[in-house]
Amino acid sequence: TSKPSSQTLRDALKDLGEPDGRNRHEIIGHAREYSGHRASSLDGLANTLRAGSGSGPGGGNNTLRLENGSVRYFTVREMARIQGFPDDYQFDPVWSRAVLEIGNACPPPLAHMWLEQLQHK
């Protein structure tokens, strides 16, 4: 079995460009940091994405620290990219439900590896 490669968020997201409102690549809400949660760094691995609950979209774990030090929520498209979904995959049109779908999903690359292993048994 091959080990998945690790890449920084900067590498994973670089060709998405700045959020432009197209293909679910828009900034929603006003993120903030608080005790027990930290934003992901562009030059590191993403924190675990959280599905959230009725009270919010996963707290500080679904946030990104920008180069200027500010923090914002990941866009739906960024979260999808982090989880390994194709860029044309469509999620629920309601932002909070899309976050639930992505946060609760088994990442497609992991599902693919698991299914390959089942076929070889």
Side-chain angles (χ1 to χ4, degrees), residues 19-97:
D20 58 7
R22 296 183 306 189
N23 194 22
R24 304 302 301 272
H25 193 38
E26 72 270 358
I27 298 171
I28 305 288
H30 300 283
R32 65 182 179 88
E33 285 190 287
Y34 48 93
S35 180
H37 296 269
R38 69 187 199 299
S40 294
S41 165
L42 278 169
D43 293 316
L45 301 177
N47 296 332
T48 300
L49 296 176
R50 305 277 174 111
S53 66
S55 63
N61 283 29
N62 293 353
T63 58
L64 173 64
R65 179 170 306 288
L66 302 172
E67 290 180 326
N68 67 6
S70 67
V71 174
R72 68 164 172 80
Y73 285 112
F74 284 117
T75 69
V76 168
R77 188 54 45 207
E78 288 168 337
M79 287 186 282
R81 175 72 69 89
I82 291 165
Q83 287 286 77
F85 284 93
D87 286 341
D88 61 350
Y89 193 90
Q90 297 298 305
F91 297 93
D92 193 290
V94 176
W95 183 71
S96 59
R97 286 189 269 195

